[in-house]
Amino acid sequence: MTTRRTRPAPRPPEGTPPRTELARQARAVLADAVRIARWAAGAPGPGTAAPLAAHALERAATALEISPAQVRAGWDRARLAGLIELHGDTARPGWRLRAWDRDDSAVLRGWVALFDAWSLVHAAPADIEAGAVAEAVEAVPQVLSLLQLSAGPVTVPALLDLLGQRVAELQEERCEVPLGPGRTVPADPAETPARAVAAQNGSQSARSADLNALLLDWALEGLAAVGALTLGRGHATLTPLGNWAVWVKLEQICVAAQSPAGNIEQSAADMLLGCARLTPGPARAEYRAWLAARTVGSAVAELLAVARGEDALLRGLAFEALRVVGAPAEPEVRAVLAEPSLRPYALLWLAEYEGNDPDDAQEVLSREEATWLWVDTAAAVADHGETALLVRHLDSAVQGTVPALLDEVRAVGHPRTVQVLVALAAAHPDPALAKAVRRAAFQVHTGGA
């Protein structure tokens, strides 16, 4: 048995407010979002997308006595923080909203979800290409780490220098050429403090520096918009909430680095395989640490790419990791509902995300989807599990009898059907049942009835 070394529960940096005070600050940041979420949850048909439909926007502004722009901003924040969920044309309260007044942990998790989505809260400049924006988002964790380790104000030139270094590293890792004339830069480089610093460089390097300065200004403004930092004249400082959130993420990274699993630098597929034999609690800790070292968007995309692969075990584990991501993964999970191989997993993920008991979530699957999932899970067991598990897996089928199961398995069209049936026939101790399963495998293989 592997012995996992333990260490005392880490303590936040000296001066970090208690969780009750952090939760109070998070409630203050999200006060408008909570008001709008509660209005939306009780209003008929408030809209199906962000921003709200025009008629609902006006109704909300009138009811809450705030401007339409404030309604739109609060609506977006409420969705990103998991305070509301959209089901068709109806907005329902998310579980965090229901627990908002009594559960400090729910409040802090909601604020962290907003913090992770800062680049969505504050839109990037329209004249900057998506690749440059993605590089900046990927470099921001290093900027936040410097702010956290400094435990006080950090000057804009220092932050700009770090951002530029990290962006250059990312470009070198991807074998990309330095930023050049193809990137749009602001006409007036002295418009903001960061761009004023960049204006002192030479023409070619200044072009790259100008772009980095524009992106740094955007990132700092976005982080300030979610309450993670405050901006002064030429410097930035983490708020207590921001300092705590960055510390938590750094701790997650340290825990992963010190654990026997050590999956933080692995690809999604290798990380999931490394977690396959862990119990649920340690596995979730590894998922969190791996996620903390990446931007949410890139992590979700990598997990879904793994889920689209041929390994059924990794497909199931990828969605377990996506459960740890929570609200920020919802749009991407909904988007894969049209993919047959991922649809059953996505439906179960969404059912649990929307508050259904995991034991009841299977009810959202059609008979065909449940059968497809049974075959996929059996494929995972056949590839990575023990034969006894494959035999016991028969009991989890929605069909009442083995003949009914075999009929529907033959019809469902899973690409691993033959291999699953052959493995089941080889593993089952009942000769008559094993013979029937082998016959079904042969019929699928030959295309017979």
Side-chain angles (χ1 to χ4, degrees), residues 47 80 104 195-196 204-205 219 235 274 302 344 362 366 391 395 397 419 425 437:
L80 293 170
D104 288 346
R195 275 169 272 174
Q204 179 61 39
S205 61
H235 65 266
E302 192 173 349
Q362 293 278 346
S366 68
V391 173
D395 297 334
Q419 294 94 323
V437 174

Side-chain angles (χ1 to χ4, degrees), residues 71-419:
V71 172
R72 187 179 293 108
W75 174 262
D76 289 340
R77 288 168 176 247
R79 293 198 67 198
L80 293 170
L83 296 170
I84 54 175
E85 302 162 1
L86 293 180
H87 301 263
D89 60 354
T90 302
R92 298 177 187 170
W95 70 269
R96 285 181 183 140
L97 182 63
R98 294 191 289 269
W100 195 254
D101 294 328
R102 56 180 169 77
D103 188 341
D104 288 346
S105 293
V107 172
L108 290 173
R109 284 194 293 268
W111 182 81
V112 169
L114 182 71
F115 168 67
D116 288 338
W118 67 266
S119 60
L120 301 179
V121 172
H122 186 63
D127 56 350
I128 300 298
E129 64 183 47
V133 172
E135 289 170 354
V137 172
E138 197 168 347
V140 159
Q142 279 68 34
V143 173
L144 290 169
S145 295
L146 175 60
L147 286 162
Q148 197 272 337
L149 294 171
S150 299
V154 180
T155 63
V156 167
L159 297 174
L160 181 59
D161 183 58
L162 178 60
L163 180 75
Q165 290 179 33
R166 182 56 184 147
V167 167
E169 290 171 0
L170 293 170
Q171 292 169 350
E172 184 176 354
E173 290 170 5
R174 295 168 182 146
C175 300
E176 295 178 358
V177 297
L179 299 175
R183 300 281 179 94
T184 305
V185 296
D188 180 6
E191 183 179 341
T192 68
R195 275 169 272 174
V197 173
Q200 300 171 8
N201 298 300
S203 59
Q204 179 61 39
S205 61
R207 187 175 295 276
S208 297
D210 285 344
L211 179 58
N212 288 338
L214 176 62
L215 290 166
L216 176 63
D217 285 331
W218 164 66
L220 294 179
E221 290 163 3
L223 291 163
V226 299
L229 55 78
T230 58
L231 298 175
R233 293 181 62 84
H235 65 266
T237 309
L238 285 177
T239 64
L241 271 175
N243 187 67
W244 167 79
V246 177
W247 171 79
V248 167
K249 292 180 182 296
L250 289 173
E251 276 299 310
Q252 291 172 343
I253 293 171
C254 291
V255 168
Q258 294 178 10
S259 72
N263 293 300
I264 187 170
E265 295 182 356
Q266 302 296 322
S267 67
D270 290 340
M271 180 274 294
L272 293 171
L273 282 175
C275 295
R277 294 193 178 276
L278 296 178
T279 55
R284 283 192 293 270
E286 294 290 335
Y287 299 153
R288 291 190 186 99
W290 185 85
L291 291 163
R294 290 157 178 79
T295 62
V296 174
S298 64
V300 170
E302 192 173 349
L303 288 169
L304 288 175
V306 170
R308 292 185 178 97
E310 297 181 357
D311 193 324
L313 175 66
L314 293 186
R315 188 160 25 255
L317 291 175
F319 277 86
E320 287 299 318
L322 287 168
R323 285 178 172 85
V324 175
V325 178
E330 186 214 0
E332 287 77 9
V333 173
R334 287 195 185 279
V336 303
L337 287 173
E339 301 180 36
S341 64
L342 302 187
R343 180 176 173 81
Y345 293 95
L347 286 171
L348 292 176
W349 189 98
L350 291 166
E352 293 180 30
Y353 170 73
E354 290 164 2
N356 292 307
D357 189 291
D359 293 335
D360 300 329
Q362 293 278 346
E363 296 176 2
V364 304
L365 301 181
S366 68
R367 181 90 163 202
E368 182 178 359
E369 290 161 350
T371 302
W372 195 100
L373 183 61
W374 186 91
V375 178
D376 207 49
T377 306
V381 175
D383 289 342
H384 300 276
E386 300 174 359
T387 56
L389 292 177
L390 190 60
V391 173
R392 290 202 296 271
H393 185 55
L394 272 173
D395 297 334
S396 67
V398 296
Q399 293 79 8
T401 65
V402 171
L405 170 65
L406 295 178
D407 286 343
E408 295 186 32
V409 163
R410 286 199 296 264
V412 80
H414 192 290
R416 295 291 304 279
T417 298
V418 173
Q419 294 94 323

